[in-house]
Amino acid sequence: MKGLKQRWGLTSNWQLAIIFVVFAITGSASAWLSKPFCVWLGIAKEGLGHWYTPIRLLLIFPIYQVLLVAIGFLFGQFKFFWAFEKKMLRSMGLGFIFKK
């Protein structure tokens, strides 16, 4: 845990615990919310067969990104998650989203 705190620039175990909770809530919430979005968009397992899961995972990705920052904000960790988000998207080649 010490190494993770240093890597992320955290000052306390409490802050680390909050960040883990935010990651857990965000992952669960994005997976849970993807089902109603699929229904709303008319994406059904019966119509797509084995493509349903990859399409649903692609749908979860933007939901996760938005929720990560929003839930991080609610837990008082906006600065950490905003920096984390930018770094993650840049590493995926999507850094152009943040350029002015």
Side-chain angles (χ1 to χ4, degrees):
M1 296 295 190
K2 185 178 179 181
L4 196 53
K5 282 173 41 180
Q6 286 177 331
R7 180 177 175 189
W8 285 348
L10 305 178
T11 57
S12 69
N13 288 337
W14 178 246
Q15 188 179 14
L16 184 63
I18 290 172
I19 288 169
F20 285 154
V21 167
V22 170
F23 277 125
I25 291 170
T26 302
S28 299
S30 62
W32 183 77
L33 284 173
S34 71
K35 186 173 184 178
F37 271 94
C38 285
V39 170
W40 182 65
L41 293 172
I43 299 171
K45 190 171 189 172
E46 296 79 30
L48 295 172
H50 68 278
W51 288 103
Y52 177 75
T53 300
I55 290 172
R56 190 166 173 191
L57 289 172
L58 287 172
L59 183 62
I60 288 173
F61 180 73
I63 294 170
Y64 182 85
Q65 305 311 313
V66 171
L67 287 178
L68 187 63
V69 176
I71 295 171
F73 172 78
L74 293 175
F75 278 80
Q77 297 298 317
F78 176 80
K79 184 178 177 181
F80 172 82
F81 284 104
W82 184 242
F84 185 88
E85 185 75 24
K86 290 190 291 186
K87 184 177 180 183
M88 179 174 60
L89 290 175
R90 282 187 184 118
S91 72
M92 296 175 74
L94 300 171
F96 63 88
I97 295 171
F98 299 106
K99 291 187 180 183
K100 291 181 180 180

